[in-house]
Amino acid sequence: MGTILSHRIPWRRFSAPALLVRIAPWAGGYVRRCFNRALVLFAETLLAVLSYLAAVFLLAEQQDAAWPRQVLAATLPLLVFVRLASYLLFGLWKRSFRYASIPDLICVVKVVLPGSIVIFIVAHLGLFDVRLPRALFLLDGILLLCFLGALHFGLRVYKAQRAFHRKDGRRFLIVGAGDAASAVVRELAMDRDSPGRPVAIVDDDASKLGSSIGDVSVLGGLHDLPRLVRALNVDEVMICIPSATRSQMRRILAACREAAVPVRTLPTLAELVDGSVSRRHLRDVRIEDLLQRDELCFDPGMIRGVVAGRIVLVTGAGGSIGSELCRQIAAAGPRKLLLLEKAENSLFYIHLELRETFPGVPTEQLLLDVVRRDAVREIFARERPEIVFHAAAHKHVHLMELHPHEAIRNNVLGTRNVAFAADEFRAAQFINISTDKAVNPRNYMGLSKKITELYIQHLARTSSTRFMNVRFGNVAGSTGSVLRLFRDQIQKGGPILVTDPRATRFFMTIAEAVCLILQAAAQGRGGETFVFDMGEPLNIYELARTLSLFAGLTPEKDVSIQFVGLREGEKLTEELWEYWEKPRPTAHKHIRVVSNSDPLSLRILDHIHDLEQKLAVEDHDGVLACLHRIFPAFKSRGPELPSSLDAELQPSLSAVEGAHP
């Protein structure tokens, strides 16, 4: 038994040397803390004695020569006892000098005032033979307040004065004159490692104009920001309004862009509440703050009306759009959520997240490539999903220009397989997620998505399943998006690589994209293409400059911007619909719907069959020939067609260009 116990219990951990090693750091810290607090308590008691001595000798001129000695002999022990008791009662000796604030000042008053009252009452009970004027206790209290204030606030006042009168470091302009701005100003003053100092505050509240926080004055409103930046040589703007609305942030950021000055902002209130950041930490402006419009919000009740109690399948469940779709759907209480994804890591992590966040929602992982037609059909036969959100697709334009056959194999055949199975097994709805690059496509990725839109329109004519397309622009912050690439390049110190200074793109957030998809599911009756009206497109070069400013960097000074030219298949501008499409408003003010179908959808199934045959024998040139036969007007700078093929297609160009109504 002794041998067994010797193996099970690590006796060495309980030996004297081991215990000493473990206890010594804690004991040393405890001893230092006790010593420091005892030293503070001694200093506070000494100040109480000094203040009383000063009060006695200041009043001694009005008394006889023996009066000071008689007063001190009779009352000093009582005073030391009462003051020491008040210190211990209110815990003033425990408070930090470095972070002294209003509560500490209140504690000082609590210590002094009751103590002085107690001493006054006891002294006038007739216990002492010496005469004690009332002015003695009043003067003693005032002096002790001053002495304790100097002890507890002296270090902070000294550091604040040094910080406010610094001439070196960066010069900050604060936006907002509320509690958050006051906290930031104090932190900059108290932090010896602070990179600079605030020189001015702007706030649109006219009542605050001319007031000060510390030594920093409110010099104007938001419209004065560009002028103040130039006049005061401001190096950086700090936005200290954690509760700012999206419209307020747009106005503030527009003023900062006009001033061309680096910007940082305080965390939002939600970020402060969940503990991910503290008020001391300024953060970069979020990608969502760059959108020059209000962000589209979704209605949880609407989502529940679409998916609650139903079996829902999401393809591409591990991607940026697919994973957010899964989160919103799971929150709405589906009967079962099927996660279909071919990337095992992505599938693992989204399933793990949903299982932890929504333990009551049944989920199933389906590790599968949608190009496997029989496997897709088997899943539909077994699970019978009622609603299908098809987000699985290759989306990187440049890669698809290098591998156009893979764009067709994954995007076209994959969509055909899932949509055909949904039709065969009578799913209620099928929502195909498309892109603005499918409009007048100039690259193979956009061309492949155009074909998927045509196939969905074809199925919608005859199927009992409600098939529909959802089309939107670039998703800010998604994997591979240009804004995310810019942010990564900025974090690495640059350069920021911009294709063309004239290039523009439409942008929406991941949450907005998911909202549009779910709105389409709620409104669609079959055959429609839903489009999100994203306002004016944003200039890519200006976005690169703005992102660098909002990361606290000055463009071309702290980070360079390089123009690399448009790559294969890229366009200067994108479009949300073709000239012949007639988008109509819907019940949602930011969503439009296109109901008329493209005539090319009538024969698209035959073309997909031809493409599938070419891919089956790895006839990549044949795939390109078939694509150009379907879309003779298609132009791409990707892999060139054989010259004989190009000549073959020329005669049919004029015949098809007029096919659209």
Side-chain angles (χ1 to χ4, degrees), residues 70-82:
Q70 295 172 350
V71 169
L72 292 175
T75 62
L76 188 58
L78 171 66
L79 178 129
V80 171
F81 174 78
V82 171

Side-chain angles (χ1 to χ4, degrees), residues 116-189:
S116 296
I117 293 174
V118 169
I119 297 170
F120 175 80
I121 293 174
V122 173
H124 285 77
L125 289 177
L127 302 178
F128 305 111
D129 295 333
V130 64
R131 190 176 65 83
L132 300 172
R134 296 178 181 179
L136 172 64
F137 304 101
L138 178 62
L139 186 57
D140 170 56
I142 293 174
L143 289 174
L144 184 56
L145 278 174
C146 295
F147 289 168
L148 291 178
L151 175 65
H152 282 270
F153 290 88
L155 178 62
R156 178 155 190 170
V157 171
Y158 171 72
K159 287 187 174 182
Q161 288 300 314
R162 284 188 61 189
F164 285 128
H165 292 90
R166 284 174 57 182
K167 301 299 181 183
D168 60 332
R170 298 173 66 81
R171 298 167 64 84
F172 300 117
L173 184 143
I174 307 294
V175 177
D179 293 338
S182 177
V184 169
V185 171
R186 288 198 304 270
E187 291 292 347
L188 290 173

